[in-house]
Short mmCIF file of all heavy atoms in Angstrom, two decimals:
data_model
loop_
_atom_site.label_atom_id
_atom_site.label_comp_id
_atom_site.label_asym_id
_atom_site.label_seq_id
_atom_site.Cartn_x
_atom_site.Cartn_y
_atom_site.Cartn_z
N PRO A 402 39.96 -17.96 43.05
CA PRO A 402 39.97 -16.50 43.27
C PRO A 402 40.02 -16.13 44.75
O PRO A 402 40.56 -15.13 45.09
CB PRO A 402 38.67 -16.15 42.58
CG PRO A 402 38.51 -17.22 41.48
CD PRO A 402 39.01 -18.54 42.05
N ILE A 406 42.69 -13.71 46.55
CA ILE A 406 42.30 -12.52 47.29
C ILE A 406 42.79 -12.52 48.73
O ILE A 406 43.37 -11.57 49.27
CB ILE A 406 40.80 -12.33 47.22
CG1 ILE A 406 40.32 -11.97 45.88
CG2 ILE A 406 40.33 -11.24 48.28
CD1 ILE A 406 38.87 -11.98 45.75
N ILE A 417 32.81 -8.09 51.38
CA ILE A 417 32.21 -7.95 49.96
C ILE A 417 32.62 -6.56 49.39
O ILE A 417 32.91 -6.35 48.27
CB ILE A 417 30.79 -8.15 49.96
CG1 ILE A 417 30.42 -9.63 50.36
CG2 ILE A 417 30.11 -7.83 48.63
CD1 ILE A 417 28.98 -9.89 50.54
N LYS A 418 32.46 -5.49 50.29
CA LYS A 418 32.80 -4.18 49.92
C LYS A 418 34.13 -3.98 49.48
O LYS A 418 34.50 -3.39 48.40
CB LYS A 418 32.47 -3.27 51.02
CG LYS A 418 32.64 -1.76 50.72
CD LYS A 418 32.36 -0.88 51.87
CE LYS A 418 32.64 0.64 51.71
NZ LYS A 418 32.28 1.38 52.84
N HIS A 419 35.11 -4.59 50.26
CA HIS A 419 36.52 -4.54 49.87
C HIS A 419 36.87 -5.26 48.56
O HIS A 419 37.57 -4.76 47.72
CB HIS A 419 37.33 -5.23 50.96
CG HIS A 419 38.79 -5.24 50.71
ND1 HIS A 419 39.67 -4.08 50.92
CD2 HIS A 419 39.58 -6.15 50.21
CE1 HIS A 419 40.89 -4.40 50.53
NE2 HIS A 419 40.86 -5.62 50.14
N ILE A 420 36.15 -6.44 48.29
CA ILE A 420 36.40 -7.16 47.02
C ILE A 420 35.95 -6.31 45.82
O ILE A 420 36.64 -6.22 44.66
CB ILE A 420 35.71 -8.51 47.02
CG1 ILE A 420 36.35 -9.42 48.11
CG2 ILE A 420 35.73 -9.12 45.67
CD1 ILE A 420 35.67 -10.75 48.21
N ARG A 421 34.79 -5.69 45.99
CA ARG A 421 34.23 -4.94 44.87
C ARG A 421 34.92 -3.58 44.65
O ARG A 421 35.04 -3.17 43.48
CB ARG A 421 32.73 -4.54 45.23
CG ARG A 421 31.79 -5.84 45.25
CD ARG A 421 31.49 -6.36 43.87
NE ARG A 421 30.90 -5.35 42.97
CZ ARG A 421 29.59 -5.15 42.96
NH1 ARG A 421 28.83 -5.88 43.77
NH2 ARG A 421 29.10 -4.29 42.19
N ARG A 422 35.52 -2.96 45.68
CA ARG A 422 36.07 -1.67 45.50
C ARG A 422 37.50 -1.54 45.42
O ARG A 422 38.15 -0.65 44.92
CB ARG A 422 35.62 -0.68 46.61
CG ARG A 422 34.16 -0.50 46.61
CD ARG A 422 33.70 0.55 47.63
NE ARG A 422 32.26 0.89 47.63
CZ ARG A 422 31.70 1.82 48.39
NH1 ARG A 422 32.40 2.53 49.17
NH2 ARG A 422 30.43 2.11 48.13
N ASN A 423 38.21 -2.69 46.03
CA ASN A 423 39.64 -2.62 46.18
C ASN A 423 40.50 -3.70 45.49
O ASN A 423 41.68 -3.78 45.72
CB ASN A 423 40.05 -2.50 47.65
CG ASN A 423 39.44 -1.39 48.43
OD1 ASN A 423 38.43 -1.56 49.10
ND2 ASN A 423 39.98 -0.20 48.20
N THR A 424 39.83 -4.56 44.74
CA THR A 424 40.46 -5.60 44.03
C THR A 424 40.23 -5.48 42.58
O THR A 424 39.14 -5.40 42.21
CB THR A 424 40.16 -6.97 44.53
OG1 THR A 424 38.81 -7.26 44.30
CG2 THR A 424 40.47 -7.17 46.03
N ASP A 425 41.25 -5.75 41.79
CA ASP A 425 41.14 -5.76 40.38
C ASP A 425 40.54 -7.13 39.97
O ASP A 425 40.85 -8.20 40.57
CB ASP A 425 42.47 -5.52 39.60
CG ASP A 425 42.92 -4.13 39.92
OD1 ASP A 425 42.14 -3.23 40.10
OD2 ASP A 425 44.22 -3.99 39.96
N ARG A 426 39.86 -7.14 38.78
CA ARG A 426 39.33 -8.35 38.39
C ARG A 426 40.30 -9.23 37.63
O ARG A 426 41.17 -8.66 36.82
CB ARG A 426 38.09 -8.22 37.45
CG ARG A 426 36.83 -7.70 38.16
CD ARG A 426 35.72 -7.57 37.26
NE ARG A 426 34.44 -7.50 38.01
CZ ARG A 426 33.27 -7.43 37.44
NH1 ARG A 426 33.11 -7.49 36.13
NH2 ARG A 426 32.17 -7.31 38.18
N ASP A 427 40.25 -10.54 37.84
CA ASP A 427 40.99 -11.57 37.00
C ASP A 427 42.58 -11.15 36.99
O ASP A 427 43.14 -11.33 35.89
CB ASP A 427 40.47 -11.68 35.61
CG ASP A 427 39.02 -12.07 35.72
OD1 ASP A 427 38.68 -13.08 36.37
OD2 ASP A 427 38.25 -11.48 34.99
N ARG A 428 43.13 -10.81 38.14
CA ARG A 428 44.53 -10.37 38.19
C ARG A 428 45.49 -11.58 37.75
O ARG A 428 46.49 -11.39 37.11
CB ARG A 428 44.94 -9.92 39.57
CG ARG A 428 44.27 -8.47 39.76
CD ARG A 428 44.89 -7.93 41.06
NE ARG A 428 46.35 -7.77 41.06
CZ ARG A 428 47.11 -7.59 42.15
NH1 ARG A 428 46.57 -7.71 43.40
NH2 ARG A 428 48.39 -7.47 42.05
N ARG A 586 33.10 -16.77 49.11
CA ARG A 586 33.54 -17.59 48.13
C ARG A 586 32.85 -17.26 46.72
O ARG A 586 33.51 -17.05 45.72
CB ARG A 586 33.59 -19.05 48.40
CG ARG A 586 34.19 -19.89 47.42
CD ARG A 586 33.80 -21.29 47.50
NE ARG A 586 32.36 -21.54 47.18
CZ ARG A 586 31.68 -22.50 47.31
NH1 ARG A 586 32.20 -23.71 47.74
NH2 ARG A 586 30.37 -22.68 46.97
N ASP A 587 31.44 -17.20 46.91
CA ASP A 587 30.72 -16.90 45.71
C ASP A 587 30.95 -15.46 45.22
O ASP A 587 30.97 -15.27 43.95
CB ASP A 587 29.26 -17.06 46.05
CG ASP A 587 28.85 -18.51 46.28
OD1 ASP A 587 29.60 -19.41 45.95
OD2 ASP A 587 27.75 -18.80 46.95
N VAL A 588 31.14 -14.63 46.03
CA VAL A 588 31.42 -13.16 45.59
C VAL A 588 32.76 -13.08 44.95
O VAL A 588 32.91 -12.43 43.84
CB VAL A 588 31.36 -12.15 46.80
CG1 VAL A 588 31.89 -10.84 46.42
CG2 VAL A 588 29.95 -12.08 47.29
N ALA A 589 33.82 -13.75 45.52
CA ALA A 589 35.16 -13.79 44.84
C ALA A 589 34.97 -14.45 43.40
O ALA A 589 35.74 -14.06 42.55
CB ALA A 589 36.15 -14.51 45.84
N GLU A 590 34.20 -15.53 43.32
CA GLU A 590 34.06 -16.23 42.09
C GLU A 590 33.45 -15.38 41.05
O GLU A 590 33.84 -15.20 39.89
CB GLU A 590 33.29 -17.53 42.25
CG GLU A 590 34.06 -18.55 43.08
CD GLU A 590 33.31 -19.78 43.27
OE1 GLU A 590 32.03 -19.80 42.86
OE2 GLU A 590 33.76 -20.88 43.68
N LYS A 591 32.29 -14.60 41.32
CA LYS A 591 31.57 -13.80 40.47
C LYS A 591 32.40 -12.60 40.03
O LYS A 591 32.27 -12.01 38.98
CB LYS A 591 30.32 -13.30 41.12
CG LYS A 591 29.26 -14.51 41.38
CD LYS A 591 28.95 -15.19 40.16
CE LYS A 591 27.79 -16.21 40.47
NZ LYS A 591 28.27 -17.32 41.30
N TRP A 592 33.31 -12.12 40.90
CA TRP A 592 34.19 -10.99 40.63
C TRP A 592 35.35 -11.35 39.72
O TRP A 592 35.92 -10.49 39.17
CB TRP A 592 34.66 -10.33 41.95
CG TRP A 592 35.23 -9.00 41.75
CD1 TRP A 592 36.56 -8.72 42.01
CD2 TRP A 592 34.58 -7.74 41.41
NE1 TRP A 592 36.80 -7.38 41.76
CE2 TRP A 592 35.54 -6.70 41.45
CE3 TRP A 592 33.27 -7.53 41.01
CZ2 TRP A 592 35.15 -5.37 41.04
CZ3 TRP A 592 32.93 -6.18 40.64
CH2 TRP A 592 33.91 -5.21 40.73
N ASN A 593 35.63 -12.65 39.67
CA ASN A 593 36.79 -13.12 38.87
C ASN A 593 36.42 -14.36 38.14
O ASN A 593 36.89 -15.42 38.23
CB ASN A 593 37.92 -13.46 39.86
CG ASN A 593 38.49 -12.30 40.71
OD1 ASN A 593 39.31 -11.55 40.35
ND2 ASN A 593 37.94 -12.27 41.86
N LEU A 594 35.55 -14.13 37.10
CA LEU A 594 34.96 -15.19 36.31
C LEU A 594 36.14 -15.80 35.47
O LEU A 594 36.07 -17.10 35.30
CB LEU A 594 33.84 -14.61 35.43
CG LEU A 594 32.61 -14.31 36.06
CD1 LEU A 594 31.58 -13.67 35.09
CD2 LEU A 594 32.00 -15.53 36.85
N ALA A 595 37.03 -15.14 34.88
CA ALA A 595 38.06 -15.72 34.11
C ALA A 595 39.09 -16.54 35.05
O ALA A 595 39.48 -17.69 34.62
CB ALA A 595 38.86 -14.62 33.38
N ASP A 596 39.41 -15.98 36.15
CA ASP A 596 40.25 -16.75 37.09
C ASP A 596 39.62 -18.05 37.46
O ASP A 596 40.24 -19.14 37.66
CB ASP A 596 40.61 -15.93 38.19
CG ASP A 596 41.71 -14.96 37.99
OD1 ASP A 596 42.22 -14.92 36.80
OD2 ASP A 596 42.17 -14.19 38.90
N LEU A 597 38.25 -17.95 37.83
CA LEU A 597 37.45 -19.07 38.22
C LEU A 597 37.41 -20.16 37.03
O LEU A 597 37.63 -21.38 37.32
CB LEU A 597 36.09 -18.69 38.67
CG LEU A 597 35.10 -19.79 38.98
CD1 LEU A 597 35.63 -20.55 40.20
CD2 LEU A 597 33.77 -19.30 39.18
#
Side-chain angles (χ1 to χ4, degrees):
I406 290 173
I417 296 175
K418 180 180 178 180
H419 179 81
I420 293 176
R421 295 286 301 275
R422 295 187 177 183
N423 300 101
T424 62
D425 296 328
R426 286 186 165 183
D427 303 314
R428 288 186 63 196
R586 185 197 67 186
D587 292 344
V588 170
E590 291 178 351
K591 297 298 187 294
W592 192 247
N593 300 275
L594 290 177
D596 281 1
L597 177 64

